[in-house]
Amino acid sequence: MKSVNVRDIRNSFNKILDKKEEVIVLKRGKPVARIQPFFKADLVCYYLEKAQEVSAEMGIDEKKGKAILEQARKELIDEGRY
């Protein structure tokens, strides 16, 4: 696993991200953070968490949420996008 110091992060953040590998960030020689690639499963979890937050704010319970998802799925099937 590669490690970089904070200065390198400031100067080369995009290059470090483009490599899509896990990196440990060091501050004064001590690990302070980890940067890791974002995979599809991570993306799915992120959107599910956001959907739960928004639905709770809107007062949508589980039963109503499932009905909305089923309707959206049917619409996608009808459009040929599912």
Side-chain angles (χ1 to χ4, degrees), residues 46-74:
Y46 170 79
Y47 284 122
L48 286 173
E49 288 174 11
K50 286 293 178 190
Q52 288 175 334
E53 290 172 14
V54 170
S55 61
E57 290 171 5
M58 295 174 66
I60 298 173
D61 63 8
E62 186 176 345
K63 184 177 179 182
K64 188 173 180 180
K66 285 182 179 181
I68 292 169
L69 287 174
E70 183 60 24
Q71 180 61 35
R73 188 180 72 76
K74 287 178 182 177

Side-chain angles (χ1 to χ4, degrees), residues 15-57:
K15 289 179 185 178
I16 291 167
L17 291 182
D18 288 343
K19 291 182 180 178
K20 297 182 181 176
E21 62 185 16
E22 189 167 322
V23 176
I24 300 296
V25 180
L26 305 175
K27 184 174 183 179
R28 297 182 183 158
K30 295 182 181 180
V32 293
R34 179 178 63 185
I35 299 173
Q36 63 185 29
F38 207 70
F39 297 103
K40 263 188 181 179
D42 300 319
L43 191 59
V44 169
C45 288
Y46 170 79
Y47 284 122
L48 286 173
E49 288 174 11
K50 286 293 178 190
Q52 288 175 334
E53 290 172 14
V54 170
S55 61
E57 290 171 5

